[in-house]
Amino acid sequence: MRNNLNSDKRVRVRYAPSPTGEPHVGNIRTALFDWLVAKKYDGDFIVRVEDTDQDRKVEGAIDLQKLSLQWLGLEWDEGLGKAGDFGPYVQSERLDIYLEHVNFLISDGNAYKCFCTLERLEEVRKKQRESKSQIIGYDGLCRQKPENYSNYSISDDCVVRFAMPQTGQSTLNDLVRNQVTFDNRLIEDFIIMKSDGFPTYHFASVVDDHLMEISLIVRGEEWLSSLPRHIQIHKAFNWDLPDFAHIPTILAPDKTKLSKRHGATSVLEYKKEGYLPETMINFLCLLGWSIDGEQELISIDDLINKFNISDLNPSGSVFDKNKLNWMNGQYLKSKTPSQLAKALFDFWIEFPPESFDSVPSQKELEIIAPLISERLKTLREAEEWIAFLYKNKISYSVDDLIQKKSDVHLTNLFIEKAINSLTQLETFDADNIEINLRDLISELEVKPGMFLGTIRMATSGQIVSPPLFESLEILGREKTVNLLRQADHLVKQTINA
Ligand code: GLU
């Protein structure tokens, strides 16, 4: 037995998204844990599309799953466009398999056809509620009739129910929660085949997990209550149970389930906000797990080596956006100028910066990136920092140019002097610009902040900007001097007014 798995079969894990919308961070965390386990034990990572609920199907949702996994680098081995020995990997393409298995259960007396109308079912529930019954659900009327144990075909106007054992317990050693036990009698005879000929999730997933030789099922704790159903279906077929790991729910800071009202829940929204894939992987892994309770920044290789699904804390873990921002800042900071330039360049190709009139080249970004890398929390924030370099027009008022304790005449003088000396500068680079402007500051005997504040506003329209001298180098002499002339014009207009 491997140190933390019950089963010693070949490790095969599956991520089983339903195509119902954008991939929630919680689902992607499940995929991440699957992937880590597969990597650690050199196993297979399968992606199976669970689309048996045709009413909830959303066009394009599977492509979004694919994009999310690709973005995070969670490559898979089978399914989602990749062939394998256990396909098809889309449940709606496996209906004949479910039909065959449903009939097997019926012939063995473990499932039966149910013709009860919705009205009758509602009536039954109503009575159960009125009598404060402990069990609310189907009363088993059709289970008693021998004629309901004949072969089911899609044209039959009925559903098929699983004949749940009415006594005993369903129990299992969950890798995260240890021993979990359920009383069978509390569970109704649930539907395994719907009247539209599609299986329910419970049935399809158990059949597929078995046929696809899945050795470990990682899924959210919201599926824990389904476990007794799944255990009993396995038993009815006489199949061995795989390992199960029901992982804790991701909570919002208010300790309720993380949902849209708390902000972004789709992993692709985080991509759009400018978080790095390595941040997301590191961050999502730490929701419910840690190496030693302290280390926060963990490389992928360390995650693969050290991650143990059975070390997960079973109680819910809070999605802390501040921590995510901090972590992303750390990963951004650790990039080399060319890595950061590439990340920014690729980001802006996909999400063009709205405030830019021209798009920076990767080469330019290599110069700019180190100037702002310390200050960034997300790639998206870079736009605001450097917009002035790529906008045709910047805007500010005369008052913005006049710094605290300065006045319009002094401001005028600063700008005139700066134009004069920067025009004559031999080499227009950051070092020379700095020497030159600092000489002016000494000559004028003013506070550096006062002088440089005016120049910064005149050339960027921003109170804060990346380091000024480097910024001016990137702007270039012509643009810098033009901007200073515009400021000069504005100040003179005020003086002459
Ligand atoms: N299709 C289910 C979901 O979208 C998967 C549940 C499972 O992993 O068994 O959550």
Side-chain angles (χ1 to χ4, degrees), residues 3-5 37 41 174-178 245 289 307-314:
N3 61 352
N4 66 342
L5 301 181
V37 173
Y41 296 113
D174 185 271
L175 293 183
V176 176
R177 279 148 217 282
N178 301 323
W289 179 79
F307 179 77
N308 278 330
I309 196 91
S310 53
D311 292 344
L312 275 173
N313 184 335

Side-chain angles (χ1 to χ4, degrees), residues 254-485:
D254 64 4
K255 298 282 163 70
T256 61
K257 195 175 171 202
L258 184 74
S259 68
K260 285 219 172 91
R261 75 193 161 87
H262 300 110
T265 53
S266 153
V267 76
L268 293 173
E269 283 179 64
Y270 286 94
K271 179 181 191 203
K272 204 167 160 189
E273 280 186 32
Y275 293 93
L276 298 168
E278 52 268 48
T279 307
M280 291 314 286
I281 289 199
N282 190 157
F283 179 77
L284 289 176
C285 243
L286 291 185
L287 293 175
W289 179 79
S290 76
I291 284 194
D292 54 9
E294 280 184 19
Q295 192 184 340
E296 303 271 27
L297 300 172
I298 311 172
S299 70
I300 279 280
D301 286 344
D302 272 357
L303 286 175
I304 294 170
N305 283 330
K306 307 218 167 113
F307 179 77
N308 278 330
I309 196 91
S310 53
D311 292 344
L312 275 173
N313 184 335
S315 51
S317 32
V318 173
F319 191 102
D320 178 352
K321 188 92 188 273
N322 291 332
K323 181 165 160 184
L324 178 69
N325 286 338
W326 167 81
M327 194 174 272
N328 207 44
Q330 297 297 312
Y331 277 108
L332 285 168
K333 230 186 272 182
S334 69
K335 286 196 179 292
T336 62
S338 77
Q339 285 169 336
L340 184 56
K342 173 146 181 30
L344 277 171
F345 188 76
D346 292 347
F347 180 73
W348 281 332
I349 294 229
E350 197 170 349
F351 307 108
E354 279 169 23
S355 60
F356 290 8
D357 294 310
S358 58
V359 179
S361 70
Q362 208 165 311
K363 267 218 130 48
E364 281 170 326
L365 287 174
E366 279 189 32
I367 306 170
I368 301 163
L371 307 183
I372 53 174
S373 71
E374 287 287 323
R375 313 175 189 209
L376 289 185
K377 291 280 178 280
T378 64
L379 292 171
R380 180 168 290 286
E381 282 177 3
E383 176 177 347
E384 212 180 305
W385 280 102
I386 63 166
F388 69 98
L389 295 170
Y390 296 98
K391 276 201 288 202
N392 291 340
K393 249 186 130 75
I394 56 170
S395 51
Y396 51 82
S397 68
V398 178
D399 289 342
D400 295 330
L401 289 172
I402 304 170
Q403 305 297 296
K404 238 199 235 150
K405 297 200 177 143
S406 179
D407 61 40
V408 72
H409 297 285
L410 207 47
T411 303
N412 186 32
L413 186 66
F414 293 168
I415 297 172
E416 274 177 0
K417 289 257 178 204
I419 294 175
N420 222 342
S421 71
L422 292 179
T423 325
Q424 288 165 27
L425 203 64
E426 212 160 285
T427 317
F428 198 80
D429 63 13
D431 287 345
N432 277 314
I433 296 169
E434 176 163 12
I435 295 170
N436 196 269
L437 295 185
R438 290 208 187 278
D439 282 350
L440 284 182
I441 291 168
S442 321
E443 180 194 318
L444 291 164
E445 292 181 7
V446 289
K447 286 230 166 76
M450 187 191 275
F451 179 86
L452 297 176
T454 295
I455 305 302
R456 171 174 287 127
M457 183 54 70
T459 51
S460 71
Q462 298 176 185
I463 297 171
V464 285
S465 73
L468 181 63
F469 311 118
E470 284 82 352
S471 299
L472 297 184
E473 176 183 337
I474 293 164
L475 267 180
R477 188 196 315 258
E478 200 187 320
K479 213 166 164 191
T480 302
V481 172
N482 277 342
L483 286 167
L484 288 171
R485 288 213 171 102

Side-chain angles (χ1 to χ4, degrees), residues 105-117:
L105 286 188
I106 295 179
S107 67
D108 261 11
N110 285 316
Y112 58 91
K113 295 194 273 190
C114 171
F115 293 88
C116 290
T117 60

Side-chain angles (χ1 to χ4, degrees), residues 169-185:
Q169 293 183 319
S170 299
T171 180
L172 178 135
N173 186 22
D174 185 271
L175 293 183
V176 176
R177 279 148 217 282
N178 301 323
Q179 188 84 5
V180 282
T181 303
F182 305 84
D183 277 334
N184 294 335
R185 69 179 186 88

Side-chain angles (χ1 to χ4, degrees), residues 121-169:
L121 296 178
E122 194 34 56
E123 194 57 30
V124 169
R125 277 167 201 274
K126 201 172 146 209
K127 284 204 181 116
Q128 287 166 338
R129 275 194 293 267
E130 279 165 8
S131 66
K132 302 217 158 45
S133 164
Q134 201 188 357
I135 305 165
I136 307 272
Y138 187 58
D139 62 352
L141 180 68
C142 289
R143 181 171 175 155
Q144 323 304 332
K145 302 178 182 166
E147 67 271 25
N148 290 338
Y149 291 85
S150 61
N151 233 28
Y152 164 85
S153 86
I154 290 182
S155 56
D156 286 346
D157 193 15
C158 66
V159 298
V160 179
R161 290 183 184 271
F162 184 73
M164 191 68 191
Q166 288 160 323
T167 56
Q169 293 183 319

Side-chain angles (χ1 to χ4, degrees), residues 14-20 27 30 34 48-51 56 65 91 201 205 209 217-220 222-223 230 244 246:
R14 84 328 186 242
Y15 170 50
S18 297
T20 53
N27 293 339
T30 305
D34 279 323
R48 181 174 73 223
V49 175
E50 299 204 328
D51 60 348
R56 294 185 59 220
Q65 292 284 349
Q91 289 187 326
Y201 154 72
S205 72
D209 286 337
I217 293 171
V218 181
R219 62 184 178 192
E222 65 273 22
W223 297 106
H230 298 186
F244 282 87
H246 287 90

